[in-house]
Amino acid sequence: MIIGGDAAGMSAASQARRLKGPDELEIVAFERGNFTSYSACGIPYWVGGDVDGPDRLIARTPREHRERGVDLRLRTEVTGLDVDRGRVRVRDLESGAGSWEGYDRLVIATGARPVRPPLPGVDAAGVHGVQTLDDGQALLDTLTGLNGTPGRRAVVVGAGYIGVEMAEALLARGYEVTVLHRGEQPMSTLDPDMGRLVREAMDGLGITTVGGAEVTKFLTGDDGRVRAVATEDAEYPADVVVLGMGVAPETTLAREAGLPLGSYGGLLTDLSMRVRGRDEIWAGGDCVEVLDLVSGRERHIPLGTHANKHGQVIGSNVAGGYGTFPGVVGTAVSKVCSLEIARTGLREKDAQAVGLRFVTVTVESTSRAGYYPGAAPMTVKMLAERRTGRLLGCQIVGREGAAKRVDIAAVALTAGMTVEQITALDLGYAPPFSPVWDPVQVAARKAVAAVRKAGA
Amino acid sequence: MIIGGDAAGMSAASQARRLKGPDELEIVAFERGNFTSYSACGIPYWVGGDVDGPDRLIARTPREHRERGVDLRLRTEVTGLDVDRGRVRVRDLESGAGSWEGYDRLVIATGARPVRPPLPGVDAAGVHGVQTLDDGQALLDTLTGLNGTPGRRAVVVGAGYIGVEMAEALLARGYEVTVLHRGEQPMSTLDPDMGRLVREAMDGLGITTVGGAEVTKFLTGDDGRVRAVATEDAEYPADVVVLGMGVAPETTLAREAGLPLGSYGGLLTDLSMRVRGRDEIWAGGDCVEVLDLVSGRERHIPLGTHANKHGQVIGSNVAGGYGTFPGVVGTAVSKVCSLEIARTGLREKDAQAVGLRFVTVTVESTSRAGYYPGAAPMTVKMLAERRTGRLLGCQIVGREGAAKRVDIAAVALTAGMTVEQITALDLGYAPPFSPVWDPVQVAARKAVAAVRKAGA
């Protein structure tokens, strides 16, 4: 039995079905909404008009799942979990009818819910989250309704991945865009010195960013629609507001059932994605916490790629096979217009928080050989442990070819490599693709020197 | 004392000078030609008109090296090496004067020479190699001389990196291009099934490729200029011919001095790039063989990125510091028009040659999320060892975003990862940059299944 029909849940279903036929394993999946296996990460591009939606964002439809022998029940909400008796309480959202359904093995894939601050006006018309395809459609309906409005203004609250992507989408729709965020710089998943590069690029695109902004309320007009966002310091007029304040694990059921949760409110699992202390329950996707292999701590990292991997592992294990998810190193990539943003491993404050001593270096390099047409500047920051020289983190801001370079550092982090080992890596070199020293290696060389200079 | 003023030699000079000032370490470098520290890899792009040359291809000029305290002697050839007495015989190519010069520590960075088959007509006007900047200029002079010729035809002999890059360059110059190569498919650094994709793409660009072609002579006209290339089977009319038949280590001096050479004719060094058995001689760049970390064998891999790394290591060691070059995994990337080609690790025949048993898988994926604009197809082939599942090699052919993805596999190979470990890697994911499973991981998943199926 699977609770949740998106990436983790339905990947688990598919993988289990690959290993065991319908006569060996019955699979039932409950999904509250109308869609399955969709790419929430694609919503900003749909809203921005780069991608037709919502159909194109659906990797596998309910019908396809059913054809593969999954008893999928849409518009069916699980409202209770009784782990002692191995059953869940479900409610048909159409008819309102409720019932108990028993399971032998349970997969919790309830995902995450967007953070919606309990502020006045947050539920006003024109204030949108962008977590589900329905959210995306509702936002697009609002934008369509505003089509005749002159000088349309949008305010995005939050400057994480979803915030900057939505800012770009709204800019593409012709809006004057203001991004309000709490931190000193946008993209607080980067160190502030790298976040500054993102802010400068956003400035250059004509997106207004306001740091240190604490939203206090959403002001509405006589028609009940949002008309401005107020912070402690100012008011920002808005015809539409997008909330990009992050998401929290959706673990209400799990909490009520007494399952173990971590400090971010996500379910805690073992390496096989089994919920700790429970032999018959697995969990994956945005509702779990994952082990950060660099810091040794659990973190909440809601990302479709992890959810798919979790599902794959869970599906194998549920069906009597074997798989593990060893953990993450915190890799994330994003873009805002032509700017590419990437990070992996620890930021300075993460490293400090777990007692690591480290050096940091930042270098400027280029995406291609300097003489090759289209060579674009790239800034690479690297953190390395003092004494050992072990790589701790890498952040990259640049243009074309910047983002996926972080994979070099992600694999090196996973392997526990030192920055000196990184300087010797045999990376792909040809003038259209890289300078003779890859930018990541330019940073590693400087980090080697910094480690040496820092001494013991 | 350094023999050779290109990447390895001058990187060694620069690094040594960083560690030791002119009062501590005298550095003299002999270079036969007029240029230093130039990018031979950039020549095809210069010839194709994408890059202005030759100045832009020079990373550091002779004057810059001299300003950093390197006694650089251009147009000075080293004609003899007397390791017993620690001296070299040099000849000033301008005056013809010869002399002996003593050294305390010697760096051999004599590079490689293009393979020129000893065939009739190979020295005819219009038959060009493309190893040095002078070669590039000579070819461009020929092309300029042919500007008025209608229906200009070029024949490229060899379909390795330089061959396909030159084919593209000549196509860009408006030539009808035929590539003659010995193997079944072009790019014999790939397995033939992947090379076929390159051939198909070249066909699509209008480049004629002829496999299994053994060149027997270069036919010349009454003016002494090349007019056709003859193989065992046919004649191919040619206004200009480019030889891209690979290069061999330039180790004549070293051989005459009795220094240890490997089976490819390259100098053999230890991990500090010191010539085996000699305390006072280092060697690096295209004149050495390098350890292939996957096969455990020495190979000759002439690549600017290795030469720079060797130079860095040698410069540190010569100046009393410490550095090592642990070896390579055989990574190479290339492009022909919009086609990107990458490989790392072992081909099937390489793995067979060293006694490895393996499985191979090939998958089709895309460069971005399938729904994201610009998502381009990508074919990834992977070799994994039977039983252990250790990654042995990876080859990628695709469009934008294909080539540098091979770095994921290159780092994983270096770390000795299994394909199962690769499936769990935390790689950068966002719709503009990758499907939810990176193509390399799609291949790794299939490889995991293949390893399992192959059993013991």
Side-chain angles (χ1 to χ4, degrees), chain B residues 130-152:
Chain B
V130 281
Q131 174 75 356
T132 64
L133 292 184
D134 287 330
D135 291 341
Q137 189 59 62
L139 172 57
L140 275 166
D141 291 345
T142 291
L143 299 183
T144 304
L146 289 167
N147 270 347
T149 313
R152 290 166 295 170

Side-chain angles (χ1 to χ4, degrees), chain A residues 224-249:
Chain A
R225 295 190 52 77
V226 71
R227 63 170 181 82
V229 181
T231 66
E232 288 172 343
D233 306 315
E235 275 183 23
Y236 299 89
D239 299 301
V240 62
V241 173
V242 173
L243 301 176
M245 304 174 72
V247 297

Side-chain angles (χ1 to χ4, degrees), chain A residues 206-290:
Chain A
I207 298 171
T208 303
T209 57
V210 181
E214 193 69 42
V215 172
T216 53
K217 58 184 164 186
F218 300 89
L219 305 172
T220 52
D222 296 339
D223 57 357
R225 295 190 52 77
V226 71
R227 63 170 181 82
V229 181
T231 66
E232 288 172 343
D233 306 315
E235 275 183 23
Y236 299 89
D239 299 301
V240 62
V241 173
V242 173
L243 301 176
M245 304 174 72
V247 297
E250 177 52 272
T251 47
T252 311
L253 283 174
R255 189 187 309 109
E256 288 170 0
L259 297 179
L261 303 182
S263 54
Y264 298 92
L267 275 154
L268 295 176
T269 73
D270 66 15
L271 292 174
S272 74
M273 301 308 294
R274 201 188 296 248
V275 172
R276 291 187 198 168
R278 304 297 315 190
D279 281 347
E280 79 292 11
I281 308 178
W282 286 260
D286 292 0
C287 68
V288 303
E289 296 186 12
V290 291

Side-chain angles (χ1 to χ4, degrees), chain B residues 54-405:
Chain B
D55 293 351
R56 293 229 47 202
L57 300 184
I58 296 170
R60 198 167 280 173
T61 62
R63 205 181 72 177
E64 290 170 306
H65 285 297
R66 287 181 180 130
E67 283 170 359
R68 288 160 181 255
V70 176
D71 177 8
L72 172 65
R73 313 211 193 145
L74 294 176
R75 300 281 295 149
T76 305
E77 188 167 16
V78 175
T79 57
L81 167 55
D82 178 354
V83 294
D84 293 330
R85 299 178 67 177
R87 59 182 195 166
V88 299
R89 181 77 186 163
V90 302
R91 191 160 66 98
D92 181 320
L93 294 177
E94 302 300 330
S95 68
S99 62
W100 286 99
E101 303 271 349
Y103 61 81
D104 298 311
R105 298 173 191 177
L106 179 70
V107 177
I108 303 176
T110 42
R113 58 186 147 69
V115 172
R116 280 183 86 89
L119 296 173
V122 71
D123 295 321
V127 179
H128 291 271
V130 281
Q131 174 75 356
T132 64
L133 292 184
D134 287 330
D135 291 341
Q137 189 59 62
L139 172 57
L140 275 166
D141 291 345
T142 291
L143 299 183
T144 304
L146 289 167
N147 270 347
T149 313
R152 290 166 295 170
R153 289 161 305 191
V155 170
V156 177
V157 183
Y161 297 104
I162 198 79
V164 299
E165 286 163 4
M166 288 310 305
E168 175 181 352
L170 292 161
L171 194 72
R173 291 278 180 188
Y175 282 74
E176 189 182 300
V177 182
T178 300
V179 179
L180 307 177
H181 60 97
R182 283 179 171 164
E184 174 192 340
Q185 301 291 348
M187 294 301 284
S188 61
T189 53
L190 304 179
D191 283 322
D193 53 337
M194 296 296 281
R196 184 177 54 76
L197 303 180
V198 178
R199 178 177 55 75
E200 288 168 358
M202 291 173 77
D203 288 351
L205 294 167
I207 297 171
T208 304
T209 57
V210 181
E214 193 69 42
V215 172
T216 53
K217 60 184 165 187
F218 300 88
L219 305 171
T220 52
D222 295 339
D223 58 357
R225 296 189 51 78
V226 71
R227 64 168 180 81
V229 181
T231 67
E232 288 173 342
D233 306 313
E235 276 184 21
Y236 299 89
D239 300 301
V240 62
V241 173
V242 172
L243 301 176
M245 304 174 71
V247 298
E250 177 54 271
T251 47
T252 312
L253 283 174
R255 188 187 309 109
E256 288 170 1
L259 297 179
L261 303 182
S263 54
Y264 298 92
L267 275 155
L268 296 175
T269 73
D270 67 14
L271 292 174
S272 73
M273 302 308 294
R274 202 188 296 247
V275 172
R276 291 186 198 169
R278 305 296 315 189
D279 281 347
E280 78 294 8
I281 307 178
W282 287 260
D286 291 359
C287 67
V288 303
E289 296 186 12
V290 290
L291 177 62
D292 179 331
L293 296 167
V294 191
S295 68
R297 296 274 178 87
E298 257 79 28
R299 293 175 58 192
H300 181 237
I301 303 184
L303 260 183
T305 186
H306 298 332
N308 273 276
K309 286 171 185 145
H310 295 167
Q312 176 88 2
V313 167
I314 292 170
S316 293
N317 292 325
V318 162
Y322 176 61
T324 61
F325 183 81
V328 303
V329 293
T331 311
V333 295
S334 184
K335 73 183 266 295
V336 48
C337 296
S338 67
L339 193 76
E340 298 190 3
I341 306 155
R343 55 98 66 223
T344 191
L346 306 182
R347 294 166 299 182
E348 294 193 28
K349 67 178 180 183
D350 301 324
Q352 279 151 3
V354 292
L356 290 165
R357 294 180 69 185
F358 55 91
V359 297
T360 71
V361 296
T362 302
V363 300
E364 303 287 332
S365 182
T366 54
S367 57
R368 308 175 180 189
Y371 57 78
Y372 195 87
M378 190 181 303
T379 305
V380 182
K381 176 171 182 173
M382 203 169 262
L383 277 72
E385 190 180 21
R386 280 184 65 168
R387 294 185 59 192
T388 69
R390 185 168 58 104
L391 177 69
L392 295 177
C394 181
Q395 298 166 35
I396 308 178
V397 175
R399 306 276 158 178
E400 192 203 333
K404 281 293 272 179
R405 260 189 171 84

Side-chain angles (χ1 to χ4, degrees), chain A residues 18 39 41-42 45 50-51 56-57 303-306 308-309 312 322 326-331 333-335 340 370-373 400 403-405 407-408 410-412 414-415 417 420 423-434 436-438 441 445 452, chain B residues 18 39 41-42 45 50-51 56-57 303-306 308-309 312 322 326-331 333-335 340 370-373 400 403-405 407-408 410-412 414-415 417 420 423-434 436-438 441 445 452:
Chain A
R18 249 176 241 128
S39 172
C41 339
Y45 311 106
D50 285 332
V51 174
R56 292 227 51 202
L57 300 184
L303 260 182
T305 186
H306 298 332
N308 272 277
K309 286 171 186 143
Q312 176 88 2
Y322 176 60
V328 303
V329 293
T331 310
V333 296
S334 185
K335 74 184 265 296
E340 298 189 4
Y371 56 79
Y372 195 87
E400 193 202 335
K404 282 292 273 178
R405 259 188 171 84
D407 286 346
I408 299 164
V411 186
T414 307
M417 286 186 183
E420 184 130 16
T423 65
L425 286 172
D426 184 2
L427 303 177
Y429 162 66
F433 302 119
S434 179
V436 74
W437 289 90
D438 189 276
Q441 293 183 308
R445 281 173 69 182
R452 211 169 277 165
Chain B
R18 248 176 242 130
S39 172
C41 339
Y45 311 106
D50 285 331
V51 174
R56 293 229 47 202
L57 300 184
L303 260 183
T305 186
H306 298 332
N308 273 276
K309 286 171 185 145
Q312 176 88 2
Y322 176 61
V328 303
V329 293
T331 311
V333 295
S334 184
K335 73 183 266 295
E340 298 190 3
Y371 57 78
Y372 195 87
E400 192 203 333
K404 281 293 272 179
R405 260 189 171 84
D407 287 346
I408 298 165
V411 186
T414 307
M417 286 185 183
E420 184 131 15
T423 65
L425 286 172
D426 185 2
L427 303 176
Y429 162 65
F433 302 119
S434 180
V436 73
W437 289 90
D438 189 276
Q441 292 183 309
R445 282 174 68 180
R452 211 169 277 166

Side-chain angles (χ1 to χ4, degrees), chain A residues 324-358:
Chain A
T324 63
F325 182 81
V328 303
V329 293
T331 310
V333 296
S334 185
K335 74 184 265 296
V336 47
C337 295
S338 67
L339 192 76
E340 298 189 4
I341 306 155
R343 55 98 67 223
T344 191
L346 306 183
R347 294 166 298 182
E348 294 193 27
K349 67 178 180 183
D350 302 322
Q352 279 152 3
V354 292
L356 290 164
R357 293 181 68 183
F358 55 91

